[in-house]
Amino acid sequence: MNQLSVHRPAANHNPVCADLLKMAERELAAFVSAVTELFGAEQAKLSAEDWLHELGAISCLPASTREWRLISVNVSARLANRVEASCLSAAS
């Protein structure tokens, strides 16, 4: 392998897209970590799936940390509903 090619960015490399991807990764990782700590691995897995579904439902990628956080807030509401329903059914 040519050593020079290792450090050369791909022809289609987009730094803005790379930055957005880093923001998304950080937000999702922080969200899943918090849900895991508070509600366990099963709820974290479901919430991660909800988070990715929410991301897929929007028309354009968020451009700021605040906008990425809104995805987590929306998914947190679903998590709260799911946990509340689980608690209510366990209490019956």
Side-chain angles (χ1 to χ4, degrees), residues 16-53:
V16 173
C17 188
D19 289 344
L20 292 175
L21 182 60
K22 286 178 192 173
M23 281 192 272
E25 288 174 342
R26 280 193 299 264
E27 182 61 28
L28 179 56
F31 178 71
V32 169
S33 177
V35 174
T36 301
E37 183 178 330
L38 295 170
F39 301 103
E42 181 180 342
Q43 290 298 331
K45 180 182 181 300
L46 293 171
S47 293
E49 291 170 0
D50 287 344
W51 199 95
L52 293 171
H53 184 270

Side-chain angles (χ1 to χ4, degrees), residues 44-76:
K45 180 182 181 300
L46 293 171
S47 293
E49 291 170 0
D50 287 344
W51 199 95
L52 293 171
H53 184 270
E54 185 83 15
L55 177 60
I58 60 177
S59 59
C60 62
L61 289 177
S64 69
T65 302
R66 182 173 184 256
E67 292 173 355
W68 285 107
R69 185 73 32 90
L70 286 174
I71 294 173
S72 296
V73 169
N74 292 339
V75 174
S76 294

